[in-house]
Amino acid sequence: SQTIHQWPATLVQPVGSPLSLECTVEGTSNPNLYWYRQAAGRGLQLLFYSVGIGQISSEVPQNLSASRPQDRQFILSSKKLLLSDSGFYLCAWSVPGMNRYNEQFFGPGTRLTVL
Amino acid sequence: GNSVTQMEGPVTLSEEAFLTINCTYTATGYPSLFWYVQYPGEGLQLLLKATKADDKGSNKGFEATYRKETTSFHLEKGSVQVSDSAVYFCALNSAPGAQKLVFGQGTRLTINP
């Protein structure tokens, strides 16, 4: 069966510090991968998605970036965090290919607080 | 563009009450529709889905029917429990590309004993 991991679970960082959040998927090959952010009391905002190694699409311009160095690894980074980067970051995966029937499967999330 | 509109929360009910959370959508083509649930401090879990008109998705006592004529996918449960307290998200997928989901804003549900 497939599982998705995110770490760390929680993170407190000062403004201006760098960020690296990691997501890995097990039990599947060449998944589509996604990063979402959920601000407090708000809905989900798609940040990035990837259909393959080295292929990243950005949905929202911001000071965050994403990378996919391996097939089942997706990393969210920032060089300098802003207060507005605080939130709950969710990674998700879906089966590969272009099929509108398939759902996305979410990881447990990382709660980031920027002080 | 594609969009999903959910009823505004928060919604507070007593245990064993009937639940309806409204969801309507705007989309080109024939989208698939989903309900996700998020328990406090956790990620999202798929609750149910429907992929074509008149399909009924069901799981854990929850149901939703894909109504193309009213562009709706309302979530219902006949008798809620305290453990159903969570945030519920309606979503659609119509893109032929990388399966990008469009989410509603979420509805917070609290069930009191």
Side-chain angles (χ1 to χ4, degrees), chain A residues 60-94:
Chain A
V60 182
Q62 58 215 315
N63 70 321
L64 299 171
S65 62
S67 61
R68 185 171 177 172
Q70 301 180 41
D71 181 43
R72 290 169 290 176
Q73 183 185 32
F74 205 24
I75 296 173
L76 184 70
S77 304
S78 174
K79 293 182 179 178
K80 288 186 178 181
L81 283 169
L82 306 173
L83 286 174
S84 58
D85 291 323
S86 294
F88 193 47
Y89 288 81
L90 290 160
C91 181
W93 73 273
S94 65

Side-chain angles (χ1 to χ4, degrees), chain A residues 35-47 85-90 110-112, chain B residues 38-39 41-44 87 89 104-106 108:
Chain A
W35 277 113
Y36 290 88
R37 177 169 60 202
Q38 187 177 26
R42 306 285 291 276
L44 286 92
Q45 179 184 38
L46 178 62
L47 302 176
D85 291 323
S86 294
F88 193 47
Y89 288 81
L90 290 160
T110 295
R111 184 161 304 282
L112 171 65
Chain B
Q38 184 180 31
Y39 298 104
E42 299 183 7
L44 276 69
V87 180
F89 291 93
Q105 71 270 34
R108 182 174 299 278

Side-chain angles (χ1 to χ4, degrees), chain A residues 3-5 22-31 33 53 68-74 91:
Chain A
T3 55
I4 178 169
H5 304 279
E22 190 166 342
C23 170
T24 59
V25 181
E26 297 177 354
T28 187
S29 296
N30 196 31
L33 295 172
I53 295 175
R68 185 171 177 172
Q70 301 180 41
D71 181 43
R72 290 169 290 176
Q73 183 185 32
F74 205 24
C91 181

